[in-house]
Amino acid sequence: MDLLDVASYDDISLNGLQIAMSDKEIKKVAFAVDASMDTITAAADSNADLLFVHHGLFWGSAIAISGMHYHRVKKALDNDMGLFACHIPLDAHPLYGNNAQMALRLGMTSYDPFGEWRGKNVGFKGKLPFPMTCPEIARLLGFSYENGLRTVSFGKDMVETVGIISGGASSDVRDAIEQGLDCYVTGEVEHSDFSLIKESNMNVIAGGHYQSEVFGVKAMMRYTEKELGIESVFIDAETGL
């Protein structure tokens, strides 16, 4: 998909069409964060012609089509349903990406590139429209403790500047600290980063890997519906992680 510029990213994910379907008109697209038996089955049951995911089935090395992997692939093929995966390009997209969409959800009218990954910036940083507490930020983003939210708050009570990188980007808190940001929003926070966060008087909001990566998938679903005129459905397979 040219819109997401998948070819320009050196990503371990096999971005693009991972499972092909017959040469037919795509009348319905299902969207999900992860390609799993649950989401593939739900997409097939909804009569989708294509399943768009953030986390696909192929990750840069050869894997035997056996076991559960076989059953996932077979389910898609049996239903003549394609699988399209978009990993880092969907995190990094300046409008439809996970990180840009979180910035927009927080009311940032402008934001700058943040967080380098293999020579490219994948996150964004900016100023909030008004100072907020960490619980207010988490609430605006739809994060909940039941679905994986973790907060480590040693910084300002009222946050004005935020850096955002979705998913498993705990170590990038170093960039947020070095750039003097008040808060870092990501998907996961690692034990090994705790002391650095505390000693740097930093705030970290880790919304859960899954919850931090629904934004781009849903944005692409809205684009597909409104701009392409194709019926779309979101399959929520929350992991709580």
Side-chain angles (χ1 to χ4, degrees):
M1 185 179 287
D2 292 341
L3 174 69
L4 296 171
D5 193 24
V6 296
S8 70
Y9 287 84
D10 179 21
D11 188 355
I12 191 173
S13 171
L14 179 61
N15 292 314
L17 192 64
Q18 293 191 344
I19 300 176
M21 62 287 197
S22 65
D23 185 16
K24 63 178 179 177
E25 180 183 358
I26 296 177
K27 296 181 178 179
K28 187 173 184 179
V29 181
F31 291 82
V33 174
D34 305 302
S36 65
M37 198 63 191
D38 285 343
T39 57
I40 292 170
T41 299
D45 289 347
S46 74
N47 295 315
D49 300 299
L50 180 70
L51 173 59
F52 179 105
V53 297
H54 183 49
H55 302 132
L57 294 179
F58 298 92
W59 293 93
S61 58
I63 180 172
I65 308 297
S66 61
M68 185 50 66
H69 191 57
Y70 163 81
H71 291 291
R72 292 168 177 164
V73 173
K74 185 175 186 297
K75 186 70 174 181
L77 293 174
D78 285 348
N79 287 274
D80 193 18
M81 183 179 69
L83 175 67
F84 188 101
C86 189
H87 188 226
I88 298 298
L90 188 61
D91 289 315
H93 194 274
L95 178 58
Y96 297 107
N98 290 314
N99 302 315
Q101 286 290 310
M102 280 193 276
L104 292 170
R105 178 73 69 90
L106 293 175
M108 295 183 189
T109 55
S110 64
Y111 41 84
D112 298 314
F114 167 76
E116 185 175 304
W117 179 88
R118 297 186 182 181
K120 286 181 174 289
N121 290 111
V122 296
F124 295 97
K125 64 179 180 180
K127 189 172 182 179
L128 297 173
F130 50 85
M132 301 181 194
T133 65
C134 287
E136 287 171 338
I137 292 170
R139 188 162 52 250
L140 278 174
L141 293 172
F143 296 156
S144 69
Y145 287 102
E146 293 78 11
N147 290 325
L149 171 64
R150 297 291 182 271
T151 57
V152 184
S153 300
F154 292 107
K156 296 179 180 178
D157 291 335
M158 301 305 295
V159 171
E160 296 184 64
T161 56
V162 177
I164 305 171
I165 303 179
S166 61
S170 179
S171 64
D172 289 285
V173 69
R174 290 164 173 76
D175 286 345
I177 292 168
E178 289 173 2
Q179 295 182 38
L181 301 178
D182 298 333
C183 181
Y184 177 53
V185 175
T186 187
E188 303 173 17
V189 61
E190 298 290 342
H191 172 82
S192 57
D193 294 315
F194 177 85
S195 295
L196 173 67
I197 294 166
K198 181 178 180 180
E199 293 162 13
S200 301
N201 299 317
M202 188 61 177
N203 293 314
V204 174
I205 300 171
H209 199 124
Y210 180 93
Q211 284 296 323
S212 73
E213 295 189 331
V214 300
F215 296 93
V217 175
K218 288 183 175 180
M220 287 305 301
M221 179 183 69
R222 293 190 293 269
Y223 171 85
T224 301
E225 286 181 321
K226 295 179 181 179
E227 302 299 325
L228 303 181
I230 299 174
E231 182 183 357
S232 302
V233 60
F234 178 70
I235 298 169
D236 190 4
E238 171 64 65
T239 65
L241 300 172

